[in-house]
């Protein structure tokens, strides 16, 4: 691999201060000599960045040292990803500078940051969909030679995933993987490069508790080995558990920082949101209403041509939230897609309000009152290049209230969009904005607003709180309970067991495409849910 080292701009970098900087040693692809040293300390000083005149980052200064795990907290749209993208060379700051081991550096692209020893797990997966897992890992692997020995890299990845307890088929194409599996690939990819400074932007959002534990062990090991880690998460328990120190952002500025040993979850949430957040919501007991959904012996084939859902049957009623718990890749995505019409059902039957909807088109199924929050919001939930108001009526554009003959009623569409933006507190400078410019959590809020605001009979929601901050999560959970109270049914796919237990009336555990059992949420047998999710117990 040929790498050219671009000399940093003389404006904020003085090679004369250290003659060694001009040397081009071989390892680390020709980085200056001081940067060949392990990163002992990284500082960001006075970093500012605006988009369309709005500050995403405003004079942010922070530092992280060797053997330290720094948490970065903040509401959706607070500027966390922007700041880390600047550190990784994806954006250039409008002002401020980055220093490594006390020397100013200019990082103009991700290749430079990788060579300096910085690795990043991105919030939105950056994997190439048509390439296999092994190819994607090899692509970003810094020791891959020009003609890379695939077998050698395969062995390395396999031993690494074994150590990490990740089971993943290296030959599968990325488009065949669930969100959770893609997240695992991103993590392996970043960890394999052995970065001195690792940035993790919401790495655990769709991992299972077991996988999160494994990741925590690895991060602790990295800390003991003297690496620096910056960890972004909305899960306060994780931040408290993993990080030494935490910096809180609000609207692009730092509003506080604390040692995790000297603070608590409530204080952090208040610092972030500016008010107290209720962590445990209580749901009132409701009697089941009429049957809404019935799935009878459904069989569905996965992307690899193998059976993904094998004879699943269940029913779902008015005033009920039915949770499906399981490790990603056990048939959840295929089941959700089959019910919403995106994937063919090989055999079996699905009815909504007693009407057969098996293998109808997604539009027809939507017209039967079924909404869908997909697990991969960027790929299946939105059209990234379209404006917010276009995205707010995807699937609904044909409704009378939004269109007349061949034309959209844009005034009505925009009023509707503004309503969702206000109700769901979507942070955007305007609804005339491409949705790709929104932060991850704000994209999710718009999707949720679109799917919930139409009062569906059935909401099929995969990881609905994925990427939402604590305040927005609290808001959404209340909204799901409100839907339940109003007589809708919710089919909830989640790997967050806390969420499943808190919201669901009944819970099914899925493993290898089969239900290991269906339980009421107060069933004592659920204490063995971990074993069932791992497939070692069927009840
Ligand atoms: N390329 C861009 N063009 C325009 N605006 C942008 C762009 N990237 C980020 N922004 C804006 O910058 C602000 C901060 O976004 P950022 O993605 O950094 O937030 P975040 O803290 O990571 O939020 P989340 O928790 O939702 O991921 C948001 O208002 C977002 O809309
Ligand atoms: Mg983000």
């Amino acid at each position: 691999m040929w790498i050219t080292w671009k000399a940093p701009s003389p404006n904020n970098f003085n090679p004369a201060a250290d003659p060694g900087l001009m040397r081009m040693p071989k390892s680390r692809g020709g980085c200056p000599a001081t940067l060949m040293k392990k990163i002992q300390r990284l500082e960001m000083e006075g970093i500012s960045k605006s988009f369309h005149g709005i500050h995403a980052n405003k004079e942010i200064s922070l530092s992280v040292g060797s053997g330290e795990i720094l948490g970065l907290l903040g509401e959706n749209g607070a500027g966390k990803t922007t700041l880390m993208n600047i550190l990784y060379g994806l954006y250039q700051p409008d002002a401020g500078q980055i220093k490594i081991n006390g020397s100013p550096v200019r990082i103009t692209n991700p290749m430079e940051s990788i060579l300096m020893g910085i690795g990043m797990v991105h919030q939105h997966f950056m994997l190439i969909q048509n390439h296999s897992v092994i190819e994607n890992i090899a692509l970003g692997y810094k020791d891959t030679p020009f003609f890379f020995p695939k077998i050698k890299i395969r062995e390395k990845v396999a031993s690494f995933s074994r150590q990490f307890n990740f089971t993943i088929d290296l030959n599968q194409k990325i488009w065949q993987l669930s969100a959770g599996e893609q997240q695992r690939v991103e993590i392996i990819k970043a960890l394999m490069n052995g970065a001195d400074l690792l940035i993790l932007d919401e790495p655990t959002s769709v991992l299972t508790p077991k996988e999160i534990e494994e990741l925590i062990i690895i991060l602790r090991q990295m800390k003991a080995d003297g690496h620096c880690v910056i960890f972004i998460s909305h899960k306060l328990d994780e931040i408290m558990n993993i990080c030494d120190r935490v910096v809180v952002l609000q609207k692009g500025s730092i509003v506080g920082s604390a040692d995790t040993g000297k603070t608590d979850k409530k204080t952090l949430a208040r610092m972030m949101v500016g008010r107290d957040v209720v962590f445990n919501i209580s749901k009132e007991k409701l009697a089941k209403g009429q049957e809404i959904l019935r799935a009878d012996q459904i069989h569905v084939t996965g992307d690899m041509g193998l059976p993904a859902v094998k004879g699943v049957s269940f029913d779902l009623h008015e005033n009920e939230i039915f949770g499906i718990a399981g490790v990603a890749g056990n048939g959840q995505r295929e089941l959700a897609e089959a019910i919403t019409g995106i994937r063919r059902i090989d055999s079996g039957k699905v009815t909504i309000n007693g009407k057969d909807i098996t293998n109808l088109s997604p539009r027809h199924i939507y017209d039967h009152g079924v909404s869908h929050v997909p697990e991969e919001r960027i790929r299946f939930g939105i059209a990234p290049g379209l404006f917010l108001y276009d995205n707010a009526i995807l699937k609904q554009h044909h409704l009378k209230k939004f269109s007349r003959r061949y034309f959209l009623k844009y005034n009505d569409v925009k009023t509707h969009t503004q309503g969702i933006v206000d109700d769901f507190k979507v942070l955007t400078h305007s609804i005339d904005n491409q949705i790709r410019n929104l932060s991850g959590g704000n994209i999710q809020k718009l999707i949720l607003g679109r799917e919930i605001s139409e009062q569906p009979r059935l909401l099929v929601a995969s990881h609905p709180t994925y990427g939402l901050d604590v305040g927005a999560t609290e808001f959404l959970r209340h909204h799901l309970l409100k839907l339940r109270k109003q007589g809708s049914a919710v089919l909830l796919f989640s790997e967050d067991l806390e969420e499943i237990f808190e919201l669901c009336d009944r819970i099914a555990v899925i493993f290898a495409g089969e239900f290991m059992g269906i339980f009421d949420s107060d069933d004592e047998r659920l204490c063995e849910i971990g074993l069932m999710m791992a497939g070692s117990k069927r009840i």
Side-chain angles (χ1 to χ4, degrees):
M1 193 176 349
W2 282 280
I3 292 140
T4 48
W5 165 256
K6 214 159 124 206
S9 138
N11 293 336
N12 60 3
F13 192 66
N14 179 12
D18 183 349
L21 288 180
M22 295 309 287
R23 284 199 303 271
M24 302 278 186
K26 210 167 150 230
S27 58
R28 283 221 171 149
C31 278
T34 45
L35 301 183
M36 266 186 69
K37 290 184 202 151
K38 204 170 157 56
I39 299 178
Q40 298 288 345
R41 181 149 211 89
L42 179 122
E43 290 155 288
M44 298 184 89
E45 290 180 351
I47 300 283
S48 294
K49 177 82 186 169
S50 305
F51 297 102
H52 313 291
I54 294 172
H55 282 291
N57 291 155
K58 210 157 131 192
E59 292 170 21
I60 295 186
S61 298
L62 54 80
S63 65
V64 56
S66 167
E68 186 180 28
I69 304 184
L70 176 72
L72 204 51
L73 258 182
E75 282 185 288
N76 295 130
K80 306 176 295 292
T81 299
T82 305
L83 188 68
M84 291 303 108
N85 281 344
I86 290 173
L87 184 51
Y88 198 58
L90 283 166
Y91 291 150
Q92 289 305 302
D94 299 335
Q97 66 175 356
I98 299 170
K99 285 184 182 167
I100 293 181
N101 300 340
S103 305
V105 290
R106 196 161 155 246
I107 307 173
T108 56
N109 60 53
M111 181 54 88
E112 286 180 2
S113 68
I114 291 170
L115 294 176
M116 288 181 198
I118 300 173
M120 180 159 176
V121 173
H122 298 274
Q123 178 175 13
H124 296 135
F125 309 133
M126 300 275 188
L127 304 168
I128 300 175
Q129 297 290 321
N130 288 336
H131 281 200
S132 65
V133 171
I134 179 90
E135 284 163 351
N136 265 279
I137 293 174
L139 264 178
Y141 189 44
K142 67 179 182 190
D143 294 333
T144 307
F146 190 72
F147 296 106
F148 69 87
K150 208 168 172 176
I151 297 173
K152 210 166 158 196
I153 289 186
R154 182 182 295 275
E155 279 166 9
K156 202 157 182 178
V157 179
S159 84
F160 199 84
S161 357
R162 260 198 309 278
Q163 177 199 343
F164 203 7
N165 256 337
F166 272 174
T167 43
I168 200 138
D169 180 351
L170 297 179
N171 296 321
Q172 271 191 314
K173 303 270 191 240
I174 297 299
W175 61 267
Q176 295 169 321
L177 303 182
S178 69
E181 289 167 307
Q182 290 187 47
Q183 200 162 45
R184 293 175 214 163
V185 178
E186 281 278 12
I187 292 173
I188 292 177
K189 203 175 153 180
L191 290 178
M192 278 214 12
N193 269 330
D196 295 341
L197 169 78
L198 186 64
I199 304 164
L200 299 140
D201 192 352
E202 298 190 31
T204 58
S205 40
V206 276
L207 292 188
T208 57
K210 179 96 183 70
E211 287 171 336
I212 294 173
E213 267 171 39
E214 303 288 346
L215 180 64
I216 292 176
I217 292 171
I218 293 221
L219 294 183
R220 292 223 170 98
Q221 187 60 50
M222 287 183 74
K223 176 179 151 77
D225 293 344
H227 295 272
C228 316
V229 178
I230 301 181
F231 186 87
I232 301 177
S233 174
H234 290 295
K235 300 180 185 171
L236 295 175
D237 286 321
E238 266 171 26
I239 293 269
M240 293 296 290
N241 189 358
I242 300 172
C243 302
D244 301 300
R245 206 157 47 86
V246 53
V247 168
V248 183
L249 297 185
Q250 207 184 66
K251 299 191 177 80
S253 304
I254 294 185
V255 289
S257 67
D259 288 340
T260 44
K262 294 184 190 146
T263 188
D264 55 36
K265 255 170 64 172
K266 272 202 161 146
T267 314
L268 288 179
R270 202 179 311 119
M271 221 190 267
M272 207 171 122
V273 186
R275 64 174 171 85
D276 282 331
V277 176
V278 182
F279 286 102
N280 293 310
I281 51 173
S282 55
K283 64 173 188 287
E284 75 184 278
K285 260 218 157 329
L286 292 177
K288 272 194 216 174
Q290 283 180 4
E291 179 185 284
I292 292 186
L293 170 77
R294 173 167 287 275
D296 200 7
Q297 283 298 316
I298 305 188
H299 288 263
V300 183
T301 304
D303 291 328
M304 297 290 280
L306 299 171
V309 179
K310 305 169 195 160
V312 161
S313 301
F314 63 102
D315 48 36
L316 179 48
H317 297 247
E318 285 173 343
N319 309 107
E320 193 181 29
I321 302 183
F322 187 95
I324 296 192
V327 178
N330 277 289
Q332 297 95 315
R333 180 162 70 113
E334 290 81 358
L335 180 58
E337 289 177 353
I339 291 170
T340 50
I342 300 170
R343 187 178 290 268
R344 258 198 80 73
I345 294 174
D346 301 333
S347 64
K349 188 171 161 188
V350 183
T351 59
I352 294 284
N353 296 325
K355 296 204 181 76
D356 190 352
I357 59 146
T358 318
N359 290 331
L360 290 187
S361 71
R363 156 85 81 86
H364 282 108
I365 293 179
Y366 174 80
D367 289 341
H368 277 85
V370 180
S371 280
H372 181 206
V373 177
E375 69 172 24
E376 277 185 72
R377 57 186 171 217
I378 305 289
R379 251 170 92 202
F380 298 117
I382 55 163
L386 296 187
F387 293 113
L388 256 73
Y389 57 79
D390 295 312
N391 276 285
I393 56 157
L394 290 182
K395 285 193 299 188
Q396 299 157 5
H397 56 278
H398 61 292
L399 300 180
K400 269 202 181 119
K401 60 180 178 178
F402 297 131
S403 61
R404 189 183 304 118
R405 296 205 177 139
Y406 300 110
F407 299 99
L408 285 172
K409 298 196 247 177
Y410 270 112
N411 283 342
D412 296 344
V413 171
K414 287 186 177 182
T415 311
H416 170 74
T417 310
Q418 194 58 53
I420 295 179
V421 166
D422 295 342
D423 289 351
F424 283 77
K425 300 187 181 64
V426 180
L427 188 73
T428 174
H429 66 275
S430 154
I431 58 169
D432 296 282
N433 184 4
Q434 285 184 332
I435 197 166
R436 72 164 95 224
N437 291 335
L438 263 55
S439 79
N442 282 296
I443 292 177
Q444 183 73 348
K445 287 189 206 171
L446 190 94
I447 296 174
L448 291 163
R450 179 182 74 208
E451 301 298 324
I452 290 176
S453 61
E454 292 298 304
Q455 282 288 330
R457 289 291 286 151
L458 169 69
L459 173 68
V460 179
S462 300
H463 311 290
T465 53
Y466 171 12
L468 295 186
D469 62 48
V470 278
T473 301
E474 178 196 23
F475 173 81
L476 177 77
R477 290 184 180 170
H478 278 119
H479 223 101
L480 293 180
L481 292 176
K482 192 166 136 203
L483 268 182
R484 163 184 181 261
K485 194 167 179 188
Q486 288 166 343
S488 300
V490 180
L491 181 59
L492 177 71
F493 292 85
S494 179
E495 278 161 45
D496 183 343
L497 291 181
E498 196 187 312
E499 179 165 276
I500 291 257
F501 283 122
E502 214 163 77
L503 294 174
C504 298
D505 299 289
R506 282 186 299 147
I507 299 164
V509 184
I510 193 166
F511 176 76
E514 292 179 61
F515 279 175
M516 307 301 283
I518 298 179
F519 310 92
D520 285 336
S521 60
D522 51 9
D523 192 321
E524 282 179 0
R525 290 173 294 172
L526 276 171
C527 63
E528 303 202 271
I529 193 164
L531 287 177
M532 288 187 266
M533 282 168 72
S536 44
K537 186 147 192 157
R538 185 195 291 265
I539 292 173

